[in-house]
Amino acid sequence: MDKYDFFKFKEPLIEGIILKRKSRFTIICEMNGETITCHCPTTGRIGNIELSDRPCLLSKSTNPKRKTAYTVEAISLNLKEDTNKSWIGINQNAINRYVEYFLVNGGFEDMISSKNKVLREQVLGISKLDFLVGDTYIEVKTPLQNIQIDYPDYIKTKKVTPFSSTDRFVKHITELGNSLKNNQRAILLNCFIYDNPGFVVREKSTNYEEVKAAFDKSIALGVETWQANFKIEPDGVMLMKYFKI
């Protein structure tokens, strides 16, 4: 493996077990026999999975003043006694660090050249988009409302309500389309920190028609949609594959 094929964590993640999700922002975990309150890096739902008893990977914060010393980076659908676990990354805040690393180091060479300058969080219209690479705007999304892999029989699920927080997506996809007036390309990059076979909308949001209309308009204007699958392990993150949708 080339050194640029792997985003290495400064410290390896620590395995634990989720006891329960306490709130949108916190998850109670057990780590090395100790019960700790951890930060949940996504305020929304994580599929329809019942998180209790799921193995998890935790990162330790370097900020001594933070209320929660650990962040839940990933969960697993494996049993806790399984030796080789597969992980589902849930840190939507971290994904841009991974994407930036692979943009700079040539991981997305078939999508966009690494010779271009990579700029983070660029204001466009009324939005702040994730990247400007050369003259191409890239907006990164990390859907977690549906986990698109088969669940083992022992996984407990729960009934969920339709997703409704779509205003931000509509705003960003509209700005991406508008950016093509002055730029050559615009890309919507759907990222998954697990091996998603291909993103599909399985469950319509309450604003589905509005979202679809905005999305279809942006595609008609020339916005490209791509998917990237990452693999998270205790030592770091690998870009498994990416492809145009």
Side-chain angles (χ1 to χ4, degrees):
M1 181 187 299
D2 189 275
K3 65 178 181 178
Y4 297 126
D5 292 339
F6 193 69
F7 178 97
K8 186 175 177 61
F9 297 134
K10 291 182 179 179
E11 295 292 337
L13 303 181
I14 305 166
E15 188 169 330
I17 296 292
I18 295 175
L19 301 179
K20 68 175 180 178
R21 185 168 184 174
K22 184 178 180 181
S23 69
R24 294 171 63 198
F25 305 98
T26 56
I27 293 177
I28 308 299
C29 298
E30 180 184 315
M31 182 189 69
N32 297 327
E34 180 184 2
T35 300
I36 52 176
T37 300
C38 304
H39 174 61
C40 182
T42 175
T43 57
R45 75 174 195 242
I46 302 168
N48 62 342
I49 298 170
E50 174 55 61
L51 294 179
S52 300
D53 295 326
R54 292 297 90 231
C56 62
L57 291 177
L58 306 173
S59 62
K60 187 173 183 178
S61 173
T62 56
N63 181 0
K65 297 182 179 179
R66 213 179 80 161
K67 291 183 179 180
T68 51
Y70 293 89
T71 296
V72 179
E73 299 286 345
I75 65 169
S76 178
L77 302 186
N78 288 102
L79 296 169
K80 57 185 177 182
E81 60 266 25
D82 290 346
T83 303
N84 297 314
K85 296 181 178 68
S86 297
W87 300 99
I88 299 169
I90 66 167
N91 193 338
Q92 294 172 310
N93 300 317
I95 190 65
N96 281 8
R97 296 202 301 271
Y98 310 151
V99 170
E100 181 180 27
Y101 176 86
F102 290 107
L103 282 172
V104 170
N105 291 297
F108 289 107
E109 202 68 26
D110 290 338
M111 183 178 76
I112 193 164
S113 174
S114 59
K115 296 178 181 179
N116 293 308
K117 186 175 182 180
V118 178
L119 300 175
R120 288 277 300 268
E121 296 186 344
Q122 297 299 294
V123 174
L124 177 65
I126 59 173
S127 298
K128 183 183 286 185
L129 299 183
D130 292 315
F131 294 98
L132 178 60
V133 184
D135 61 357
T136 300
Y137 282 100
I138 301 177
E139 177 64 11
V140 175
K141 297 298 179 187
T142 315
L144 279 173
Q145 291 79 33
N146 293 289
I147 305 298
Q148 296 181 188
I149 54 179
D150 293 331
Y151 296 173
D153 293 339
Y154 55 79
I155 291 293
K156 297 178 181 178
T157 59
K158 55 188 177 181
K159 187 176 181 180
V160 295
T161 57
F163 184 67
S164 59
S165 300
T166 55
D167 291 349
R168 190 166 180 266
F169 176 80
V170 170
K171 183 173 69 171
H172 287 170
I173 196 70
T174 299
E175 294 291 4
L176 274 178
N178 292 338
S179 77
L180 289 166
K181 298 172 184 177
N182 300 308
N183 294 275
Q184 289 187 351
R185 297 177 69 198
I187 295 171
L188 175 67
L189 181 61
N190 292 303
C191 293
F192 301 89
I193 316 177
Y194 66 94
D195 194 13
N196 184 315
F199 177 61
V200 294
V201 178
R202 289 183 174 179
E203 180 184 292
K204 294 182 179 180
S205 69
T206 55
N207 309 313
Y208 176 77
E209 295 302 330
E210 175 191 357
V211 175
K212 186 176 185 301
F215 180 79
D216 288 347
K217 182 178 179 181
S218 73
I219 297 301
L221 289 171
V223 174
E224 301 171 29
T225 56
W226 290 70
Q227 177 173 322
N229 290 356
F230 298 83
K231 181 179 182 180
I232 187 168
E233 299 175 340
D235 289 337
V237 173
M238 180 192 308
L239 176 59
M240 299 174 66
K241 59 187 173 185
Y242 63 98
F243 49 91
K244 193 173 184 179
I245 302 175

